[in-house]
Amino acid sequence: MSLALAPLDVSVELEANLPCRKFDPDLWFSDSPTDLELAKTLCGDCPLRVECLAGAVERAEPWGVWGGEIFERGAVVPRKRPRGRPRKEDLARDAALQVEAEARLAASGVATSRSAVRLAA
């Protein structure tokens, strides 16, 4: 009788270095725009950022920060808006941030066209 050896699980060591495993997981699913921006920043140095973002786009994640981008209702949004009516300067900033989010998605190779991933307006 031969014994099969289980493969070495290197993902355990890798998971210890992922920001979403080190910090409070609720940070990535917060309602606070400030918390979500912090989560996006923490994702910046993650070794699995591109894969995480690609998976979230493929699954159309309903909400949260995935791969350094904020998802809401299955779409990438440039920033989480607080409750209430947006100010005029916020609308202009949102338009600029949407262009920036599209550029980041294109640069990461996840989506090459607007039809490949839906961006929320």
Side-chain angles (χ1 to χ4, degrees):
M1 179 187 248
S2 66
L3 294 174
L5 296 175
L8 179 62
D9 191 4
V10 294
S11 66
V12 172
E13 183 179 319
L14 178 64
E15 283 186 18
N17 293 323
L18 300 178
C20 56
R21 301 285 195 244
K22 282 195 222 177
F23 298 96
D24 182 12
D26 291 338
L27 184 65
W28 277 260
F29 299 98
S30 176
D31 286 330
S32 164
T34 306
D35 288 348
L36 294 177
E37 290 301 322
L38 174 59
K40 282 174 55 174
T41 303
L42 292 172
C43 288
D45 295 330
C46 181
L48 296 178
R49 188 177 73 75
V50 173
E51 292 86 354
C52 178
L53 180 58
V57 167
E58 183 179 311
R59 292 185 307 273
E61 282 294 336
W63 65 296
V65 174
W66 297 89
E69 299 292 340
I70 299 174
F71 281 77
E72 192 170 300
R73 294 184 193 107
V76 174
V77 295
R79 72 178 183 91
K80 174 84 174 176
R81 291 184 183 158
R83 296 183 120 186
R85 186 177 192 157
R87 299 181 187 152
K88 289 181 182 177
E89 61 267 11
D90 288 345
L91 291 174
R93 184 178 59 202
D94 285 349
L97 286 173
Q98 186 167 358
V99 170
E100 181 184 330
E102 289 173 350
R104 283 196 315 261
L105 283 169
S108 68
V110 173
T112 57
S113 70
R114 189 170 173 92
S115 63
V117 65
R118 198 181 87 216
L119 291 169

